Amino acid sequence: MGKDVIVACDFSSGEQVFSFLDKFTSRKPFVKIGMELFYAEGPAIVRAIKERGHKIFLDLKLHDIPNTVKKAMKVLSNLDVDICNLHAAGTTAMMQAALEGLTREDGSRPLLIAVTQLTSTDQESMERDLLIHEPIDQVVMHYAQTAKNAGLDGIVCSPLEAGKVHDSCGKDFLTVTPGVRFADGETGDQKRVMTPAQAKEIGSDYIVVGRPITAASDPVAAYERCVSEFCD
Ligand code: C5P
């Protein structure tokens, strides 16, 4: 898979997501399904969106004991998603078990990427609540390296970190980056943002774009603008 724009479909019902996806009559975007939609509609929503011809990043951020994650990943692999994810904080054993669970009998599997420290975690809360005292950017890079060593395909990170992750983990280690905004758009609650063109420049492999597309007056035009800035 090459560079692509993944549309974060942060909707709470199948009805909303289908009325949004119905607008895309030619190119079918790569879609991110998060916890809200998955827990509301169940695995059927994944099958239904897949049947419409979309690739799917299922963003459920698994984190549990290795055996439980392995079994859960086997179920997700059977759902035929293209990318799924977990928390690197689950440690190497959990990440390796996840890969085993994901791998189908024919050896194929969805891509597996790790969440490092959530962007909602800052230095202060990490020290206070998690008792981690290293600088947060070093913690993120360490988690990225651990994920790579466990055999994962990449991480979710800010587009600002994508270059550093490629420098330390190699250019084939995927960087999937949310926090993307158009130069002339609203930033909303995202603090550290980049335009699709800047994310391309810095080497992101996939950008995850939600509200700049889902809340646009013309979502298809906003999506095509992202694609032309990022992919072309
Ligand atoms: O609407 P917006 O473009 O901000 O959506 C970004 C998407 O990426 C949302 O689904 C959000 O949950 C997700 N995300 C993020 N920052 C992270 C990890 C995931 O914005 N660090």
Side-chain angles (χ1 to χ4, degrees):
M1 290 200 270
K3 282 192 181 286
D4 211 345
V5 174
I6 302 178
V7 181
C9 286
D10 293 323
F11 298 106
S12 55
S13 73
E15 205 180 349
Q16 288 171 336
V17 76
F18 292 133
S19 88
F20 172 73
L21 293 177
D22 281 345
K23 301 183 200 303
F24 294 84
T25 48
S26 49
R27 200 194 308 237
K28 303 279 182 188
F30 204 131
V31 162
K32 180 170 88 76
I33 300 176
M35 290 184 204
E36 184 184 12
L37 185 60
F38 188 78
Y39 293 147
E41 298 287 350
I45 195 75
V46 175
R47 293 193 195 95
I49 295 176
K50 194 90 205 174
E51 266 165 30
R52 287 172 166 236
H54 299 270
K55 286 185 176 165
I56 294 178
F57 168 20
L58 188 56
D59 179 18
L60 298 181
K61 301 185 179 71
L62 276 67
H63 189 174
D64 207 319
I65 60 170
N67 186 53
T68 301
V69 170
K70 179 177 169 177
K71 289 181 175 170
M73 286 294 184
K74 188 168 169 53
V75 176
L76 300 188
S77 187
N78 289 337
L79 270 180
D80 201 21
V81 299
D82 298 281
I83 305 180
C84 51
N85 64 355
L86 46 61
H87 276 279
T91 78
T92 301
M94 189 198 81
M95 291 192 267
Q96 289 174 337
L99 282 173
E100 276 177 43
L102 274 184
T103 306
R104 305 181 186 104
E105 278 184 10
D106 65 2
S108 67
R109 63 167 175 81
L111 293 173
L112 181 60
I113 60 176
V115 174
T116 58
Q117 285 293 345
L118 293 169
T119 43
S120 50
T121 304
D122 60 11
Q123 185 74 33
E124 189 193 338
S125 57
M126 190 181 70
E127 294 198 16
R128 186 189 59 231
D129 296 345
L130 308 180
L131 284 182
I132 298 173
H133 299 292
E134 304 299 320
I136 195 160
D137 49 343
Q138 282 181 29
V139 175
V140 167
M141 294 308 293
H142 177 68
Y143 281 28
Q145 195 63 55
T146 308
K148 181 182 163 63
N149 294 345
L152 268 69
D153 302 295
I155 62 162
V156 183
C157 63
S158 147
L160 296 150
E161 293 159 352
K164 269 198 284 176
V165 172
H166 281 142
D167 289 345
S168 108
C169 299
K171 69 172 175 24
D172 294 336
F173 193 65
L174 300 174
T175 52
V176 179
T177 64
V180 173
R181 292 293 180 266
F182 292 122
D184 51 2
E186 300 275 320
T187 55
D189 53 1
Q190 294 282 15
K191 302 255 182 298
R192 303 192 303 144
V193 298
M194 263 194 190
T195 65
Q198 287 168 330
K200 175 184 181 181
E201 185 69 30
I202 212 156
S204 295
D205 296 290
Y206 295 88
I207 52 173
V208 176
V209 189
R211 288 159 292 179
I213 295 173
T214 56
S217 53
D218 184 344
V220 177
Y223 170 71
E224 293 297 346
R225 180 177 171 192
C226 274
V227 170
S228 67
E229 279 192 33
F230 183 68
C231 306
D232 298 345

